[in-house]
Amino acid sequence: MIDGHTRSITYLRLSVTDRCDLRCAYCMPERMEFLPRSEVLSLAELDALASAFIGMGITKLRLTGGEPLVRKGFIDLVAGLSRHLGDGLDELVMTTNGTRLAEYADALARHGVSRVNVSIDSLDPATYARITRGGDIARVIAGVDAAIDAGIAVKINVVALANDNLDEVVALADWAHQRGAAISFIEVMPLGDVEASRIDQHVPMCEVRRRLSERWSLAPLALDTGGPARYVRTDAGGTIGLITPLSDNFCGSCNRVLVTCTGQLYLCLGQDARVDLRAMLRSGDPAALEAAIARAVRNKPLAHDFLIAPQRTQGVARHMSVTGG
Ligand code: SAM
């Protein structure tokens, strides 16, 4: 699939639930209202939708949420989708908060999940519990270790937060590298109302980089994943991704589209335009579904227009847990 700006669209992020067992303060309000179950696609519908995209040229599928591992039957979904590996699909990967990874790592590996992104914003038990509003970092660390033992490549995702984890960026990178895991730092994005000021949370990536370079010398790495990350290699040999959706954007090479757990297709994380694929899916007309996807992809917006500035913050009303991250 080629969009109207000659970008090749090969990467689908599919959210399998909006529910999560954590309440990260920058992601959602404490009393987040989740969708009624009837609105969420069934496992069979998620499979049908992902399969349609794979048939149209998607080669990398990321399952996300909400927290994918809280969805009942998630492993069955993965097992089913793994039939496409080597037959259209090159990579089946997921994003998780890791709280249930120790339990499921072996099954994920068995069904062809080759890489997981695990979100860890702090290694300090109290700070982690504060950011996640109740999470237990020991469980997440056990999950990371289980995934590594199962042969799954792990990348740690850290949202840089002004008042929470700036002092920990070197320790986090050290910790990940000691385990042979990659790590990426990301700027907080203005997605949804979270009862806190985005200005107070936001840290430009140059500040993270400055702190990392006090410890290591950082050399640019030519590793293009088609995403908004730029990679550096430390002189100790570890890889660090620096994701700068705000202070710089890399929309020109964007290769991805997103589908929510209710079947809404978003062509850009930072734009509101969407297409309701659930209605198409339920109409039982695969040709109409494919035509709708192709039409939507042709109209993929050129860029997001996120902004976090003292005078004005501009984002989208949806929380990240709704679109899937
Ligand atoms: N539950 C899984 C997890 O924790 O990774 C998957 C869903 S979560 C919404 C995906 C990623 O989005 C996480 O790494 C989280 O830190 C990130 N995220 C959520 N809200 C964000 C925001 N406003 N800005 C930047 N990243 C955000």
Side-chain angles (χ1 to χ4, degrees):
M1 288 185 282
I2 307 286
D3 78 357
H5 306 282
T6 68
R7 294 171 297 194
S8 179
I9 307 305
T10 54
Y11 179 10
L12 169 66
R13 291 182 174 222
L14 176 61
S15 171
V16 303
T17 178
D18 65 321
R19 285 164 200 263
C20 191
D21 52 346
L22 300 179
R23 297 285 184 279
C24 298
Y26 57 85
C27 185
M28 59 175 80
E30 189 158 14
R31 290 180 208 291
M32 180 75 176
E33 276 188 36
F34 295 112
L35 293 165
R37 286 210 164 78
S38 58
E39 286 198 24
V40 174
L41 297 182
S42 68
L43 295 176
E45 287 171 331
L46 288 165
D47 183 301
L49 206 46
S51 301
F53 274 95
I54 294 165
M56 295 178 71
I58 290 295
T59 57
K60 174 174 171 183
L61 174 62
R62 176 176 301 283
L63 300 173
T64 180
E67 173 48 40
L69 290 173
V70 304
R71 175 86 198 243
K72 249 199 212 123
F74 177 70
I75 296 295
D76 298 331
L77 176 69
V78 173
L81 290 171
S82 67
R83 72 185 179 282
H84 296 293
L85 282 167
D87 187 18
L89 188 63
D90 295 336
E91 283 184 281
L92 181 54
V93 299
M94 69 177 291
T95 303
T96 176
N97 60 28
T99 59
R100 300 184 183 198
L101 200 47
E103 203 179 319
Y104 292 114
D106 284 338
L108 293 170
R110 207 167 47 247
H111 296 304
V113 172
S114 50
R115 287 190 291 122
V116 294
N117 286 357
V118 185
S119 307
I120 299 184
D121 300 319
S122 173
L123 289 167
D124 175 69
T127 309
Y128 182 82
R130 178 163 45 79
I131 297 174
T132 57
R133 298 189 176 110
D136 174 6
I137 188 63
R139 278 179 67 179
V140 179
I141 292 174
V144 167
D145 289 340
I148 292 169
D149 287 347
I152 300 176
V154 172
K155 178 158 78 80
I156 306 300
N157 275 344
V158 183
V159 176
L161 297 163
N163 301 316
D164 294 303
N165 61 10
L166 256 193
D167 291 340
E168 266 192 83
V169 296
V170 167
L172 279 157
D174 238 344
W175 179 85
H177 292 158
Q178 275 162 21
R179 285 171 155 73
I183 187 165
S184 284
F185 294 92
I186 181 164
E187 289 173 339
V188 74
M189 290 178 276
L191 294 166
D193 184 6
V194 289
E195 302 158 346
S197 151
R198 295 293 187 190
I199 282 284
D200 293 346
Q201 295 173 334
H202 186 252
V203 183
M205 201 43 61
C206 55
E207 177 57 21
V208 173
R209 195 186 176 112
R210 190 186 66 72
R211 289 175 184 241
L212 293 169
S213 50
E214 281 175 359
R215 165 68 178 274
W216 296 289
S217 66
L218 306 174
L221 198 63
L223 191 65
D224 188 0
T225 56
R230 287 298 170 266
Y231 292 90
V232 293
R233 162 114 345 125
T234 72
D235 48 1
T239 302
I240 300 178
L242 302 168
I243 308 183
T244 56
L246 282 113
S247 58
D248 203 350
N249 87 53
F250 297 97
C251 302
S253 59
C254 181
N255 62 353
R256 63 197 58 193
V257 292
L258 310 102
V259 174
T260 68
C261 60
T262 62
Q264 308 304 305
L265 168 61
Y266 284 92
L267 289 309
C268 171
L269 182 62
Q271 296 280 357
D272 285 323
R274 66 183 163 94
V275 176
D276 181 8
L277 298 181
R278 184 177 57 183
M280 303 277 167
L281 194 62
R282 291 187 174 167
S283 75
D285 179 353
L289 177 68
E290 281 196 15
I293 294 172
R295 201 167 40 245
V297 163
R298 273 198 301 279
N299 291 320
K300 180 173 160 68
L302 181 58
H304 68 70
D305 37 31
F306 288 138
L307 177 73
I308 296 180
Q311 310 76 4
R312 188 166 62 99
T313 292
Q314 176 173 304
V316 294
R318 302 182 310 279
H319 293 97
M320 186 74 140
S321 59
V322 173
T323 324

